[in-house]
Amino acid sequence: MTTALLMVDIQKDYFKGGRNELFNSDQAVMHAREALTLFRNKNLPIVHIQCILLDENATFFLPDTEGIKIHEKVQPRSDEKVIVKHTPDSFFQTELHQYLESIKVTRLVICGMMSHICIDSTVRTAHRLGFEVILLSEACATKDLIWNDTLIPAKTVHDTFMASLQDTFAKTMNINSLYKTV
């Protein structure tokens, strides 16, 4: 079984000073960095997903802005694949699936941002495509949401999405458990 690390949208717009700062993004990137170091040390495949939004109504991840750059703490190396996407799902209209098949990946460790959109859609598609999915919960981040004039705190949003993906679509774990798994 070949395992790859999929780092989704860990980009500057999601951090302090960015156009869409997330709750706990600094903590999430540190855990993502731990996973990245683990995969690099084991010479396992790593794929960075970079979102650039082309919708004229987009307010972040705009083309040719600083915010689309991958965060410096998880900068891709020249031997690591970077795939650009324009929608929440990392597989939709990208080369991701074909690339993973070409390097014989059967299991994905997924982390990144945002838990309730891009992580959710990417995990569900990965599962549907037949990949075994491990989701690093503490290496993901999201933001507060509003539903029916009620504020839903980011922690609740994150925990709800992790719980909804657990077991049916992914095995959700923390970084310490990953060390025992990969």
Side-chain angles (χ1 to χ4, degrees):
M1 173 185 314
T2 301
T3 302
L5 176 63
L6 186 60
M7 305 189 72
V8 179
D9 303 349
I10 306 178
Q11 296 168 243
K12 290 186 175 187
D13 264 348
Y14 284 148
F15 293 84
K16 188 174 175 115
R19 292 186 162 131
N20 194 20
E21 184 178 350
L22 302 182
F23 175 76
N24 274 347
S25 56
D26 288 329
Q27 178 184 348
V29 77
M30 295 310 292
H31 291 297
R33 185 178 182 162
E34 284 183 70
L36 181 60
T37 300
L38 173 65
F39 273 71
R40 284 176 174 167
N41 289 342
K42 291 186 174 260
N43 292 314
L44 291 169
I46 298 161
V47 180
H48 300 263
I49 302 295
Q50 180 184 31
C51 187
I52 300 174
L53 296 175
L54 303 178
D55 183 327
E56 63 186 40
N57 297 318
T59 58
F60 63 98
F61 289 166
L62 304 175
D64 304 315
T65 63
E66 188 70 17
I68 64 169
K69 293 181 181 175
I70 294 173
H71 194 278
E72 57 272 359
K73 288 191 166 61
V74 291
Q75 264 308 304
R77 294 190 320 202
S78 62
D79 62 333
E80 296 168 357
K81 184 78 169 165
V82 177
I83 294 177
V84 173
K85 69 178 176 87
H86 305 294
T87 68
D89 185 345
S90 299
F91 290 93
F92 184 72
Q93 296 182 344
T94 71
E95 63 181 298
L96 179 58
H97 187 212
Q98 294 83 357
Y99 175 72
L100 294 171
E101 283 185 327
S102 76
I103 60 171
K104 307 208 181 321
V105 168
T106 56
R107 181 169 65 175
L108 288 173
V109 174
I110 299 177
C111 64
M113 301 169 183
M114 291 190 276
S115 306
H116 72 286
I117 299 177
C118 299
I119 296 302
D120 179 64
S121 62
T122 297
V123 165
R124 289 172 189 264
T125 298
H127 172 76
R128 182 181 55 77
L129 292 172
F131 293 98
E132 178 186 336
V133 180
I134 295 171
L135 179 56
L136 291 180
S137 60
E138 63 191 354
C140 296
T142 195
K143 64 181 183 174
D144 294 344
L145 296 179
I146 296 179
W147 175 251
N148 286 335
D149 297 324
T150 301
L151 177 76
I152 305 167
K155 182 177 180 349
T156 301
V157 172
H158 176 77
D159 290 348
T160 301
F161 275 84
M162 294 300 110
S164 71
L165 293 169
Q166 169 65 26
D167 294 330
T168 302
F169 299 101
K171 181 175 183 180
T172 305
M173 65 177 61
N174 62 30
I175 192 73
N176 290 332
S177 297
L178 182 66
Y179 284 108
K180 301 171 195 165
T181 305
V182 175

